[in-house]
Amino acid sequence: MSYLKQPDYVRYVCNCGSLKPISKIYFCRHCSKIRCGYCVCQEVDSHYCTNCMENLPSTEVRLKKNKCSNCFECPCCFQTLCTRAGHVPIRVAPVEGENSKDVKTTPKKVYYLSCSLCRWTSRDAGIPDQSVATGGWPEQENPHTSRINALIDYHKILASIEKQQCEKKKFRPKRPYMPIAMFRITSAMVRKHIGHPTKPSAPSTDQPPPAVASTEVEELPADIFTAPVDITKVTTLAQRLQHPDVQAENVNELRPQRRQFLVKRSQRCRVCEHNLSKPDLCPQSTKFKIQLAAFYHVPEVRIVTCEPLRPGKSSELLLKFCNPTQHQTQITLLPLDTPMTSTVTVLDEKEEHKHEIMQQGSESPNLLPSIVRQVPIPEETKSIKITANADLVLPHSPLILPPRDDIAEYDDTSDTHNFQDDPKLVVWRKDNKAVMKLHVTPHEDIQKSDGQSVIIGFVMQYGYVNTITALEHKAPQKLDLKVKLYLTVGNIVGNA
């Protein structure tokens, strides 16, 4: 499992020019291209609470200020608080005729909040116990609530006025201007004659008083420099930022806060607007309706081992290739200067672009017309800031990998599928995996001090079977795709 510790050693070049590991990129089956986090748009599907798994629509979440009404967080360690039960003795008044000394006490069940990690309780903050376990906990009020509500109401009025003005301009009928040469009477003269104002006044709005800066500051206590400081009773910076409206200075002033909702989001390709990742709406479910992660469609490359690297000397490098698809693929390693364009040759550029889109099946009949859909914004390709500082001897023969078989993972027979591999090139093979031997020669101008990273790069061409059917192509299509990779194989150990 050593490959789990090298997430950034093997990086794939996205279509936009970003370098990402295979675990952080997607593969669009409609565009047949790699998409990173910058090439997808995020969409919120649902809001849910991680503790009680309550799922609410966006309108209710907005009304509840994105906070759960049942779950609370500890103000000290930010863990979820638990509801604990306790008993409080209650004295019962004596019946008439009985001795006042014979007072009976009956236990009453009450509930309070407690943290199982730091042992903080609501009783430490002076919050009274509740007789019901499902709510009724008092919330800490914001001292600036009235000011905030006044500003919100004022801006709502301004927004409604602006909306009305836009609607009037939008639906104003266009009438031709017909000057009356006989009377020369304008609308302003008519309004002035009947006593109306020259311009219609806008609806009055009660503007809240503006904020005024004050130079007066509260004086510090006299014993601020002499009184001993108890760190356990003073709040930390994280605890104060958790309550930005109050910013309590002492621990006993902290109050529990309602737990915020999390969201389930889906990723959509910016070019073809198809979903690349879409989770299930149920909060308890960890499955995905659509999951087009790159490690399900693009061959994965892992570094097995590499000999000590020295400038100007050849070192042996072992790379492991894995085929994650259900179809046999053929992998060919090409130099970095290989063009990444398609192999289809058409005379006209417009026809070539149209043919490429039709071949990749990006014009799906299920999409809405282009007038309704959002127009995609093409982004310029970023320049790759990393450069290879070592020479790599690439093999001339391709590598064939069989399809993935989950049952074969438990088979110890080591079936090689009767592939006639070159023993100098392929040193190990099992199921849909194979290890290839390559030779790396670092440049002589590399600094000979220890710690200098050696980076190699190549273009991997692999066969991909597109199973998405379009109107032009009913059968699955087989494409030869290319992706550029940069590998950090190790560090320079010196010239000795």
Side-chain angles (χ1 to χ4, degrees), residues 58-75:
S58 301
T59 54
E60 295 187 16
V61 171
R62 194 178 297 109
L63 294 176
K64 293 186 177 182
K65 299 181 180 180
N66 199 32
K67 294 183 179 180
C68 182
S69 57
N70 301 323
C71 306
F72 292 85
E73 288 183 351
C74 176

Side-chain angles (χ1 to χ4, degrees), residues 133-148:
T134 57
W137 303 102
E139 295 186 14
Q140 191 174 15
E141 296 182 358
N142 189 345
H144 308 287
T145 303
S146 58
R147 172 70 175 176
I148 295 174

